């Protein structure tokens, strides 16, 4: 049962569970602190973004972030991912675009990106069970989506 709540460790497009696990891993968490931390971010930032982009677009972003992170992780690494940290960081960077106008990069995005990317790079030298890759991938997807969608809203 636990394996369904971790991302696939290898690319296996013929296996139907590959597709299930490419999304379901965001619901599995290592411990209560991991779950509560992600839920706090998601519940704090999520409603504001849902109001701006709508439920459908936000669901699209969550699925795109989950699937792209899982596939890239399976391609680049041999470990599985668990947790919604990539989703949380996608929401954080996407939120910095909430008031963007005319394709300008907001100062809040620059500050958040520098602090966030700097923290993840610094954390990547530590030996732990945290995937900085999923954080960075989620942040990249959120920032990209926010920038691309900014001219459409």
């Amino acid at each position: 049962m636990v394996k369904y709540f971790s991302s696939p460790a290898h690319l296996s497009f013929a296996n139907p569970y590959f597709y299930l696990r490419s999304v379901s891993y965001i619901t599995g968490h290592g411990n209560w602190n991991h779950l509560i931390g992600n839920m706090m971010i998601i519940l704090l930032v999520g409603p504001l973004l849902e109001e701006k982009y709508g439920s459908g677009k936000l669901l699209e972003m969550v699925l795109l972030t989950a699937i792209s992170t899982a596939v890239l992780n399976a391609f680049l690494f041999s470990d599985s991912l668990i947790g919604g940290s990539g989703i949380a960081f996608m929401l954080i960077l996407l939120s910095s675009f909430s008031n963007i106008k005319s394709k300008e990069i907001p100062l809040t995005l620059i500050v958040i990106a520098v602090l966030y990317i700097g923290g993840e790079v610094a954390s990547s030298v530590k030996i732990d069970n945290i995937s900085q890759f999923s954080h960075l991938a989620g942040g990249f997807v959120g920032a990209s989506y926010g920038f691309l969608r900014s001219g459409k809203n």
Side-chain angles (χ1 to χ4, degrees), residues 46-151:
L48 301 170
L49 293 173
E50 185 177 15
E51 186 177 323
K52 168 121 177 123
Y53 294 103
S55 300
K57 290 293 179 190
L58 197 57
L59 177 61
E60 176 186 310
M61 278 308 304
V62 167
L63 293 175
L64 177 67
T65 301
I67 293 168
S68 61
T69 302
V71 170
L72 281 171
N73 186 73
F75 181 73
L76 297 172
F77 306 105
S78 61
D79 294 329
S80 293
L81 300 172
I82 60 169
S85 299
I87 304 303
F89 286 114
M90 178 268 296
L91 294 174
I92 289 169
L93 287 180
L94 184 60
S95 71
S96 66
F97 281 96
S98 62
N99 293 319
I100 192 171
K101 294 172 180 53
S102 72
K103 295 285 184 187
E104 295 175 357
I105 297 176
L107 180 61
T108 55
L109 172 67
I110 295 168
V111 172
I112 288 171
V114 167
L115 292 173
Y116 165 71
I117 293 171
E120 292 303 312
V121 169
S123 294
S124 69
V125 298
K126 293 188 292 188
I127 297 174
D128 56 20
N129 289 330
I130 298 171
S131 172
Q132 282 75 29
F133 167 77
S134 68
H135 297 172
L136 292 170
F140 176 76
V141 172
S144 299
Y145 187 80
F147 190 72
L148 294 172
R149 293 285 303 171
S150 65

